[in-house]
C-alpha cells in the first residue's frame, strides 16, 4: 500500500513538473535554450493582423533555440521560418548549424505541429501565411529578452512560405500587428519565396534584404521576385537578389529534384495586396478587388498544381557563401 502510494505521489510530482516545464514563456531572461514554447496568434489574413482582430486567446507554438559555442558578449540571432512542407530533414537544422558556426544564435520556429498541421503544400489555405509571420514576430519579441542575444541584431530567414515571412516582416503595418514598440528585424533572408502576390505597404523597416532564387524554379518563379525586389529598393531598402542558374525550388535540401503533381502554386496569380487598407489589385487587368468573396474567388482561380523540387549542391554552396557575406555585413561579424 505504501509503495503504491509513493508511486502515485511520484507520478503526481512528475506531472506537475511537466506542466511547469511545458508552460509557455513570455521571457527568456533566465537564459534558457533548447525547445521553448511561447505564445503567438493566428490571424486569418493580413487585415486581421494589421487591425489585431485575430482571436484574442492566442496560440502556443514552439521553437528550438541554439546559441553559438564560445560566444563572447551578446550575440546576433536569426529566427528561422519553415516552408509549406514544415521543418524538413536536412534544411532548417542544417542552416541553424551553419549560422551557429558563424557565431549567430538560431531559433527554428515550428508553426505547424503545434497547430496540428504537417504541411500546407497541397492546400495553402489551411493556414494563412500571416500566422507564420505572427510566429516569427512573436519569436523576435521573445529573443530580445534573452541576456545573451543582442536585440538590435536579430534577423529572420525563411524558405518558400518562410521566405514570404522573411519579406513580409519588413512591412511596418504587419510588424505592428504583433510588436508594440520599435523592435524590428535587423536583416531579412528569403530563399525561393513566392512573390506572385505582392504584399506592399506605405512604410518598410529599411533593414537589408537578401533574396536567393532558383533560376529553374517552377513553383515560385524568380521573375516575380525580381519585380518585388525593385519595389523594396524603391522604398529605400538595401536589397540584393541572387538567382542560381538551373536551380529548382528547395535547392538547399538533400533530396534530388523530382516533380510533385499535387503541390499548389500561386505562380498563376498576378496581384498586389495593400496591407495598410486590405485592397487587392490584379496587375494583369488593373481591376481592384474589395469584396472578400471576390478576392477569395480570384485567389482560388489563379492557383495551379505541380512543381519540381529538389537540391542543387552547387546552388547550396553559393547560398552558404552569399548568406555568410550578407550576415557578416548586417551584423558586423568578423570574418572567420
Amino acid at each position: 500500500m505504501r509503495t503504491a502510494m509513493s508511486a502515485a505521489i511520484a507520478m503526481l510530482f512528475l506531472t506537475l513538473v511537466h506542466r511547469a516545464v511545458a508552460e509557455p514563456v513570455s521571457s527568456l531572461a533566465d537564459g534558457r535554450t533548447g525547445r521553448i514554447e511561447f505564445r503567438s496568434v493566428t490571424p486569418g489574413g493580413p487585415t486581421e493582423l494589421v487591425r489585431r482582430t485575430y482571436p484574442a486567446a492566442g496560440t502556443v507554438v514552439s521553437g528550438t533555440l541554439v546559441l553559438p559555442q564560445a560566444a563572447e558578449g551578446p550575440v546576433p540571432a536569426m529566427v528561422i521560418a519553415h516552408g509549406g512542407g514544415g521543418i524538413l530533414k536536412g534544411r532548417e537544422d542544417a542552416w541553424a548549424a551553419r549560422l551557429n558556426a558563424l557565431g549567430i544564435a538560431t531559433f527554428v520556429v515550428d508553426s505547424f505541429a503545434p497547430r496540428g498541421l504537417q504541411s500546407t503544400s497541397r492546400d495553402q489555405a489551411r493556414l494563412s501565411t500571416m500566422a507564420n509571420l505572427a510566429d516569427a514576430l512573436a519569436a523576435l519579441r521573445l529573443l530580445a529578452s534573452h541576456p545573451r542575444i543582442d536585440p538590435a541584431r536579430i534577423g529572420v530567414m525563411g524558405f518558400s512560405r518562410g521566405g514570404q515571412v522573411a519579406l513580409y516582416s519588413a512591412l511596418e503595418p504587419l510588424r505592428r500587428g504583433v510588436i508594440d514598440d520599435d523592435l524590428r528585424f535587423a536583416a531579412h533572408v528569403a530563399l525561393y519565396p513566392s512573390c506572385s502576390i505582392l504584399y506592399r505597404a506605405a512604410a518598410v523597416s529599411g533593414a537589408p534584404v537578401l533574396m536567393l532564387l532558383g533560376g529553374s524554379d517552377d513553383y515560385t518563379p524568380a521573375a516575380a521576385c525580381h519585380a518585388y525586389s525593385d519595389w523594396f529598393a524603391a522604398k529605400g531598402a538595401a536589397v540584393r537578389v541572387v538567382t542560381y542558374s538551373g536551380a529548382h525550388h528547395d535547392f538547399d535540401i538533400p533530396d534530388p529534384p523530382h516533380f510533385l503533381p499535387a503541390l499548389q502554386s500561386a505562380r498563376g496569380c498576378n496581384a498586389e495586396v495593400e496591407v495598410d487598407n486590405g485592397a487587392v489589385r490584379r496587375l494583369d487587368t488593373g481591376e481592384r478587388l474589395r469584396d472578400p468573396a471576390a478576392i477569395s474567388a480570384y485567389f482560388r482561380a489563379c492557383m495551379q498544381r505541380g512543381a519540381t523540387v529538389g537540391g542543387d549542391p552547387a546552388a547550396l554552396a553559393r547560398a552558404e557563401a552569399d548568406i555568410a557575406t550578407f550576415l557578416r555585413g548586417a551584423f558586423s561579424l568578423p570574418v572567420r
Side-chain angles (χ1 to χ4, degrees):
M1 177 66 117
R2 187 171 297 174
T3 301
M5 183 176 294
S6 298
I9 293 173
M11 182 62 70
L12 177 61
F13 174 76
L14 289 174
T15 300
L16 292 174
V17 168
H18 174 75
R19 288 177 179 173
V21 171
E23 184 69 21
V25 300
S26 59
S27 171
L28 298 179
D30 59 3
R32 73 178 67 190
T33 59
R35 186 177 184 276
I36 296 169
E37 292 187 338
F38 61 102
R39 293 197 179 277
S40 182
V41 293
T42 306
T47 300
E48 279 193 20
L49 181 56
V50 170
R51 297 178 180 175
R52 297 197 177 196
T53 54
Y54 41 71
T59 306
V60 176
V61 296
S62 64
T64 301
L65 175 60
V66 177
L67 296 177
Q69 295 182 353
E72 297 182 3
V75 298
M78 290 293 285
V79 173
I80 298 179
H82 62 71
I87 295 175
L88 300 183
K89 183 178 180 180
R91 187 175 64 184
E92 284 79 6
D93 289 348
W95 276 112
R98 295 175 190 121
L99 296 179
N100 293 154
L102 294 174
I104 301 170
T106 54
F107 193 42
V108 177
V109 176
D110 188 348
S111 294
F112 283 0
R115 293 183 172 93
L117 297 173
Q118 291 185 330
S119 172
T120 60
S121 296
R122 297 186 179 190
D123 182 5
Q124 300 294 350
R126 296 190 69 193
L127 183 72
S128 171
T129 306
M130 295 299 102
N132 300 72
L133 174 57
D135 295 349
L137 291 167
L140 165 65
R141 185 175 57 200
L142 187 65
L143 290 182
S145 68
H146 199 290
R148 292 191 59 195
I149 292 176
D150 182 354
R153 293 190 295 164
I154 302 174
V156 58
M157 171 181 182
F159 318 92
S160 194
R161 171 185 277 246
Q164 292 173 264
V165 168
L167 297 177
Y168 298 163
S169 54
L171 306 186
E172 281 292 280
L174 297 177
R175 182 191 68 86
R176 291 194 297 267
V178 173
I179 305 295
D180 293 320
D181 54 24
D182 291 332
L183 182 66
R184 294 175 175 84
F185 283 118
H188 303 259
V189 180
L191 284 79
Y192 40 88
S194 176
C195 301
S196 297
I197 303 170
L198 303 181
Y199 279 55
R200 307 182 190 238
V204 300
S205 71
V209 177
L210 175 66
M211 295 190 201
L212 303 182
L213 314 173
S216 295
D217 194 330
D218 59 356
Y219 191 20
T220 58
C225 287
H226 283 281
Y228 204 10
S229 71
D230 291 342
W231 177 82
F232 269 105
K235 300 296 288 186
V239 57
R240 181 178 180 231
V241 183
V242 183
T243 302
Y244 305 128
S245 178
H248 295 286
H249 197 80
D250 288 346
F251 57 72
D252 56 341
I253 67 173
D255 304 325
H258 52 289
F259 183 77
L260 296 176
L263 290 182
Q264 186 183 60
S265 168
R267 62 177 176 264
C269 303
N270 188 15
E272 65 179 11
V273 177
E274 295 291 345
V275 299
D276 295 273
N277 56 28
V280 175
R281 183 169 71 94
R282 291 182 56 170
L283 297 177
D284 54 347
T285 66
E287 179 185 4
R288 293 189 177 275
L289 307 175
R290 296 189 178 276
D291 178 65
I295 294 172
S296 296
Y298 170 71
F299 287 138
R300 284 196 304 270
C302 67
M303 292 291 177
Q304 298 180 0
R305 293 284 178 187
T308 302
V309 300
D312 184 316
L316 172 57
R318 288 186 59 191
E320 289 183 37
D322 288 333
I323 290 174
T325 299
F326 175 77
L327 291 180
R328 285 191 183 109
F331 293 152
S332 300
L333 292 173
V335 178
R336 295 187 176 185

